Amino acid sequence: MSVYGRLSRQRMMFLNLTDMKERRLEVKASELKAGRTFGVTFQDGDDFMTSLAGFCRDNEVRQGYIPMFIAGFAEADLVGTCEKLEDPQAPVWTKVHVTNVEALGCGTIARDDADGILPHVHVAVGLKEHSATAHASHLLSAKVQFLTEMLVVEVLAPDMTRPKDHNLYDVPLLTFK
């Protein structure tokens, strides 16, 4: 490699490191103190969100994260649209309904203003009768078909909340206090 090539490569590495340092200033992070870890199963016919809330209530899990789950859903509503977006930067608030899907997901559980839980779950689902054609998005609701097998990790500290950001289309963003 020529001297110019080495210098150019070093300069690119420096610029990339500088860019990374600048971007890190925007990242908000907090060390989490983990509590208990649970293996959780939901049963055929269960409402996913109701079952998750019931598990949290019964086990006094006020906040945490879901590193993964696998599930079968008889039906589910995901954030999405087939319409042209007037503002592509704005969040989509409409839903797409899917049926008979296999799902893989993860998420977080934060507290809401009423001291209840506010789960934020994303999934990738495959439509079984359509060659497992996939959709991926925010999960709004689902009815369990056969099973849901989930890991839940409780977070003891800091407090995790999800207030709406009025400067960003009222999107509820995870915060650590």
Side-chain angles (χ1 to χ4, degrees):
M1 179 181 286
S2 71
V3 172
Y4 176 75
R6 280 194 301 261
L7 288 175
S8 197
R9 182 180 166 131
Q10 288 174 342
R11 189 177 344 208
M12 286 174 53
M13 289 174 64
F14 173 76
L15 290 174
N16 288 339
L17 289 173
T18 302
D19 289 347
M20 285 174 41
K21 287 179 186 175
E22 288 176 12
R23 276 190 247 138
R24 285 191 182 158
L25 295 176
E26 297 173 11
V27 173
K28 296 175 184 169
S30 182
E31 184 176 357
L32 303 179
K33 181 177 180 187
R36 302 166 292 170
T37 300
F38 296 89
V40 183
T41 61
F42 301 163
Q43 305 307 308
D44 183 57
D46 284 353
D47 178 87
F48 182 88
M49 293 299 183
T50 302
S51 294
L52 179 57
F55 158 78
C56 290
R57 182 183 55 252
D58 294 348
N59 292 280
E60 298 180 358
V61 173
R62 300 182 68 222
Q63 56 191 25
Y65 61 94
I66 302 165
M68 65 77 60
F69 69 88
I70 57 174
F73 293 145
E75 59 183 0
D77 289 332
L78 311 176
V79 168
T81 185
C82 292
E83 303 293 324
K84 180 180 178 184
L85 299 175
E86 288 183 30
D87 181 356
Q89 300 300 314
V92 174
W93 299 110
T94 57
K95 63 184 176 183
V96 173
H97 185 77
V98 294
T99 59
N100 199 25
V101 298
E102 297 290 331
L104 175 67
C106 59
T108 56
I109 301 167
R111 291 197 324 265
D112 66 11
D113 294 334
D115 205 29
I117 67 155
L118 189 57
H120 182 183
V121 177
H122 280 238
V123 293
V125 300
L127 307 174
K128 290 190 259 186
E129 65 262 16
H130 295 284
S131 303
T133 299
H135 295 279
S137 192
H138 175 88
L139 180 67
L140 297 170
S141 65
K143 182 178 178 183
V144 174
Q145 183 178 42
F146 307 127
L147 61 92
T148 294
E149 300 170 354
M150 175 185 295
L151 298 177
V152 175
V153 179
E154 176 184 42
V155 172
L156 301 175
D159 289 342
M160 296 168 59
T161 60
R162 199 178 307 286
K164 290 180 180 178
D165 186 330
H166 300 299
N167 296 319
L168 194 61
Y169 302 99
D170 285 338
V171 172
L173 299 176
L174 185 64
T175 61
F176 305 102
K177 293 181 182 182

